[in-house]
Amino acid sequence: GSAKWRIKALEARVAAQQDEIRELKAQLAEREQSLTRLQQRNGVLGARLDDKEKDIETLEGRLSKLKGRLKDADVFAPRAWAVKEAVQGGYALEAAGLLPNANGSGMAKAKGTSTNWLSSDDCDSPMVPAYQDFVRLLFQPSAAPLLGMVESFLQALLNKNPKMTDYTMVHNFLGAMENPFRSHKLWRDGDENDMLEVVDALEAYILSQDQVYKSIAASSSQHQAQDEHLQRRMACLNFVQPTHLDISKVHAAHPGLTIARQMLHRIHESRAPQEMIECVFRAARIIFRMLNETTSSEGTASADDFLPVFIYCVLKAATPGLYTAIEYMSLFRRPSRLSGERHYYLVQLQTAVAFIDHMDAASLTIDADHFNSKYAACENAYNARLSQPPPALDSTTEPGAGAGAGEAGKPLATPEDEVRESVATLSLSQSAPAHARAEDTEDWPDPIYTSPARNSTGGTALNAAHVSE
């Protein structure tokens, strides 16, 4: 009997141990489930972390692009525009670098703004943003279908012998290609500004083809006749000096004028309409920057200050084919992108060309007999040059000097020499610029770096009536 009781006791202990084992297994299963859930959560958190890191990289890329756009937009901005909000917020103009310091030590240097006109390379920044990146991506193997569509359109356009009236064909193709580029993997991660730049680059890629541009430019005999007439007018009016347009001595001697003339002359070397408009825009911004750096304490430069200087720069740049270029820019630049400041300055270029085309003694500060004699002498010299073989160009001849050279037809200094001379004149000289004549400098202020005085008629012979709205 005792053995039976011992067996039952052992069976009870075994049953208890089995219950404990089952309980431990249940706890182990529960821990395994918890561990699985934690692993899943860790996996989700790891994936989210990867996504966040990718988002951070994307945002850093966009921030870098925005900084680049801001820098490009502000490179040629007049200082008054760059600090407008700060000034309205109560900051002094002296602190913003717009006016001389209180101690009279001269113009304060605005943060991030270059005041070294001689060494600045701002004018070399890309005319069409992201164009090189666009071309590089377009020739990637994965973009072959898009490249095929673009090349097919180019071939069709060339087969048509494009004319100035074919701008709608280009605009329609650009509009049709926006969605294919937007949905392609190489461009789908870009924002709206990136897509605008892509279509701009596509426009430049198509219209910068030399055959396309030459066919368009040669399609209008009327524009070619206007170009020849304007080139003659600019050559015959080459004697016009800054004082004839009531431009002050301090502005006439500033190296910014030479840089602006160089930029305007680059219109002739450009092919894409955006490049040409950018040349006009940068030249105008350079002039405004120069005016605001030398303006009086009354305020910032206005259109009445800007237009005479701009007309003078257009006249002295003597850009060939300007009528054709203006029509080309107006028609072939996408309408949605031809707005704002760039459109305004394009209108100012049209105004300047119209003024030059109708310029006479009454529109200048000059004696009528003096104007007529100078004009006749320049016209005779121009006709004499036309009857002779064109001279060989050398490194000392200014671009465009064939028809718009000096009265004696002698070679001009290189642009770099002219800038250096202007800087030296602006900094050290108390006399008129080297290109001025004695009869043209009688009313110029002295010393050279005093604030330009306003005349009784409001500052210039060109009033707001000459500004095309």
Side-chain angles (χ1 to χ4, degrees), residues 255-276:
L257 264 66
T258 299
I259 302 174
R261 288 165 55 186
Q262 291 175 343
M263 188 59 64
L264 288 169
H265 195 85
R266 285 176 63 175
I267 295 174
H268 180 63
E269 303 168 3
S270 304
R271 291 294 178 263
Q274 183 179 358
E275 289 183 270
M276 295 183 177

Side-chain angles (χ1 to χ4, degrees), residues 27 43 49 110 142 193 195 251 262 280 295 355 416:
Q27 291 179 2
L49 181 60
S142 59
N193 285 328
M195 187 50 53
H251 294 154
Q262 291 175 343
V280 180
T295 191
F355 187 90
E416 290 77 10

Side-chain angles (χ1 to χ4, degrees), residues 133-435:
D133 290 338
F134 169 79
V135 174
R136 177 178 57 81
L137 293 175
L138 185 62
F139 282 88
Q140 293 286 330
S142 59
L146 294 176
L147 178 60
M149 288 188 282
V150 173
E151 295 296 341
S152 296
F153 174 78
L154 261 175
Q155 190 59 50
L157 188 64
L158 289 172
N159 292 340
K160 195 177 186 293
N161 292 325
K163 301 177 178 58
M164 196 70 76
T165 55
D166 291 328
Y167 59 92
T168 54
M169 181 180 178
V170 177
H171 292 169
N172 292 338
F173 177 74
L174 294 175
M177 290 299 294
E178 184 173 347
N179 284 334
F181 276 99
R182 189 188 298 273
S183 60
H184 194 277
K185 65 180 182 180
L186 293 176
W187 290 279
R188 68 165 63 120
D189 293 332
D191 57 18
E192 194 61 32
N193 285 328
D194 292 329
M195 187 50 53
L196 290 175
E197 290 182 355
V198 166
V199 181
D200 285 345
L202 178 59
E203 175 188 276
Y205 179 80
I206 293 171
L207 294 174
S208 62
Q209 304 294 324
D210 202 50
Q211 289 178 287
V212 173
Y213 177 76
K214 287 182 177 179
S215 177
I216 293 173
S219 63
S220 176
S221 58
Q222 177 184 358
H223 293 144
Q224 291 179 346
Q226 290 175 319
D227 289 335
E228 294 174 1
H229 170 73
L230 182 62
Q231 201 68 28
R232 171 181 285 272
R233 285 284 295 174
M234 287 179 172
C236 295
L237 292 168
N238 192 65
F239 66 90
V240 172
Q241 294 300 315
T243 50
H244 299 149
L245 291 164
D246 294 330
I247 299 173
S248 66
K249 182 181 181 181
V250 66
H251 294 154
H254 201 285
L257 264 66
T258 299
I259 302 174
R261 288 165 55 186
Q262 291 175 343
M263 188 59 64
L264 288 169
H265 195 85
R266 285 176 63 175
I267 295 174
H268 180 63
E269 303 168 3
S270 304
R271 291 294 178 263
Q274 183 179 358
E275 289 183 270
M276 295 183 177
I277 293 175
E278 195 67 19
C279 291
V280 180
F281 170 74
R282 294 185 182 186
R285 274 300 194 68
I286 288 169
I287 293 172
F288 258 119
R289 174 185 165 187
M290 179 270 294
L291 290 173
N292 280 326
E293 284 186 355
T294 55
T295 191
S296 67
S297 59
E298 298 174 0
T300 59
S302 65
D304 287 340
D305 302 313
F306 165 78
L307 190 56
V309 180
F310 188 60
I311 290 173
Y312 179 76
C313 289
V314 173
L315 175 62
K316 294 300 181 178
T319 308
L322 204 50
Y323 267 114
T324 299
I326 291 174
E327 188 72 6
Y328 177 70
M329 287 184 273
S330 302
L331 293 178
F332 280 88
R333 185 67 172 127
R334 283 190 300 154
S336 61
R337 299 290 277 163
L338 187 59
S339 59
E341 281 187 79
R342 285 167 174 78
H343 181 256
Y344 172 77
Y345 291 136
L346 179 59
V347 173
Q348 295 307 300
L349 178 61
Q350 294 172 327
T351 303
V353 169
F355 187 90
I356 293 171
D357 200 18
H358 298 87
M359 186 181 290
D360 55 17
S363 58
L364 300 173
T365 305
I366 189 174
D367 179 73
D369 294 336
H370 181 64
F371 176 90
N372 293 331
S373 63
K374 290 288 186 180
Y375 189 93
C378 289
E379 187 172 27
N380 291 335
Y382 179 78
N383 292 332
R385 285 196 298 271
L386 287 182
S387 62
Q388 298 175 356
L393 296 178
D394 55 41
S395 59
T396 62
T397 303
E398 182 176 326
E407 294 177 41
K410 62 182 180 180
L412 301 176
T414 62
E416 290 77 10
D417 292 338
E418 191 172 350
V419 174
R420 294 181 188 276
E421 181 181 354
S422 298
V423 172
T425 304
L426 186 61
S427 304
L428 304 174
S429 176
Q430 299 296 320
S431 60
H435 60 264

